[in-house]
Amino acid sequence: MLEIKQVAKRSFLRNNNNAPYLLSNISATVDQGERISLLGASGQGKSTLLRLLSILHTPDEGDICLRGMSFRQIGSRLWRKQVCYVAQQAVMLPGTVEDNLKVTAQLHQLPYDQKLAERLLEAARLTHIDLKKDARELSGGEMQRIALIRSLLLRPDILLLDEVTSSLDGPNTLAIEQMLSEWNRSEGTIMIGVTHELVQAERTSTRIWFMAGGTIAEDASARPFFENPSTETARQFIGRGQTEVELT
Ligand SMILES: Nc1ncnc2c1ncn2[C@@H]1O[C@H](COP(=O)(O)OP(=O)(O)OP(=O)(O)O)[C@@H](O)[C@H]1O
Ligand SMILES: [Mg+2]
């Protein structure tokens, strides 16, 4: 379904061909229904990789293909209808919560699926929210969940989830994990998600991409990765305990 072929991105610092690489040598194939956790220290380029996969940044080298077709053929607008990035910092557009939920359908000229929106609001424990409220008055955790639902309403083939539960408490985190698991089972959506919570990665994913040295240093099934990672960097990363990992 998704093929990443030798993708590289040069540093943002200088816009020239000699700028150092931020990411390089990224290659992987992802099949329908896979759930991948993207792990690695802060600043390793996890968000940048997800933004490349949704063509919010253009790769400087290499290619990304969906069902055998390059993003260059598909075009960024149509690509982003099928490959949705849910940002680390949720952005609400001016208007009400309802306006924000409807905006993706409007953008892509699709009908708004109100029944599905209601079902997802319930699964995300957001039924208490007045949909006529100004979206920018929501709490951070509420905005995160609205942004996620806004993307799900597009029914994309691939969801790129950038720390989507980072502003949530325990019960809400579990509710979102369950909502995403059910969605993955029923829709077969590929999910690639960044998390700093190793237990969450173990709980929710079948495959791990561990980023180090500007590339995917390990690409492994989740269980073997956590039992016995093959690089020393990954061993240190998972053995150092969560608090220190988050401070890295
Ligand atoms: N738009 C941008 N302009 C300039 N530099 C950027 C931009 N986006 C990312 N960077 C830089 O690229 C590097 C990787 O950033 P990125 O946000 O991808 O890291 P990350 O692995 O997601 O980190 P974290 O776990 O803290 O979210 C960082 O050094 C960051 O400063
Ligand atoms: Mg990030």
Side-chain angles (χ1 to χ4, degrees):
M1 171 82 95
L2 176 73
E3 272 177 284
I4 309 167
K5 301 176 183 174
Q6 290 295 321
V7 162
K9 169 85 187 147
R10 288 187 183 272
S11 159
F12 291 96
L13 295 176
R14 278 168 287 153
N15 197 10
N16 68 44
N17 292 338
N18 299 319
Y21 284 104
L22 182 63
L23 295 174
S24 63
N25 205 17
I26 310 266
S27 292
T29 302
V30 186
D31 294 326
Q32 192 175 358
E34 283 202 83
R35 293 196 68 182
I36 301 173
S37 279
L38 188 50
L39 303 179
S42 270
Q44 276 299 321
K46 302 179 299 294
S47 296
T48 305
L49 176 56
L50 292 192
R51 293 172 66 83
L52 280 168
L53 296 181
S54 58
I55 318 297
L56 288 163
H57 302 312
T58 313
D60 292 319
E61 293 167 25
D63 205 356
I64 309 174
C65 298
L66 193 60
R67 296 190 193 86
M69 235 164 122
S70 165
F71 73 90
R72 295 183 177 93
Q73 290 168 276
I74 293 177
S76 54
R77 188 186 163 89
L78 192 54
W79 183 274
R80 283 190 220 128
K81 187 174 160 209
Q82 299 165 87
V83 184
C84 266
Y85 173 70
V86 186
Q88 196 164 351
Q89 305 285 339
V91 178
M92 291 292 109
L93 301 168
T96 64
V97 176
E98 192 170 35
D99 294 336
N100 269 270
L101 290 171
K102 287 180 172 171
V103 78
T104 41
Q106 279 163 358
L107 190 67
H108 294 283
Q109 284 145 14
L110 295 167
Y112 175 65
D113 190 340
Q114 174 127 12
K115 283 258 160 356
L116 179 59
E118 283 167 10
R119 187 158 65 78
L120 292 171
L121 285 165
E122 192 171 348
R125 299 165 36 124
L126 287 171
T127 45
H128 62 283
I129 285 184
D130 175 5
L131 297 183
K132 300 290 176 213
K133 187 183 166 111
D134 185 330
R136 285 167 302 175
E137 287 171 6
L138 296 174
S139 76
E142 288 167 346
M143 284 190 202
Q144 249 187 344
R145 283 174 285 167
I146 292 293
L148 176 58
I149 292 173
R150 189 169 60 185
S151 294
L152 288 173
L153 286 170
L154 265 185
R155 294 183 180 271
D157 294 318
I158 302 178
L159 260 180
L160 306 169
L161 306 166
D162 203 344
E163 303 192 36
V164 289
T165 58
S166 61
S167 300
L168 303 183
D169 59 20
N172 279 311
T173 297
L174 291 177
I176 293 300
E177 285 179 13
Q178 190 180 341
M179 179 178 89
L180 290 172
S181 292
E182 282 168 13
W183 187 270
N184 168 263
R185 261 197 304 277
S186 61
E187 302 274 324
T189 311
I190 290 173
M191 295 184 182
I192 306 176
V194 175
T195 179
H196 287 281
E197 304 285 337
L198 298 181
V199 286
Q200 183 175 51
E202 270 193 281
R203 210 164 43 219
T204 59
S205 48
T206 52
R207 180 172 170 186
I208 303 292
W209 288 351
F210 174 68
M211 292 200 66
T215 195
I216 300 176
E218 285 197 45
D219 177 355
S221 296
R223 192 169 296 170
F225 176 84
F226 285 108
E227 280 170 4
N228 188 21
S230 46
T231 61
E232 184 52 35
T233 322
R235 237 189 306 279
Q236 280 183 14
F237 184 82
I238 64 168
R240 274 159 56 193
Q242 221 159 286
T243 316
E244 284 178 63
V245 166
E246 279 175 357
L247 292 173
T248 309

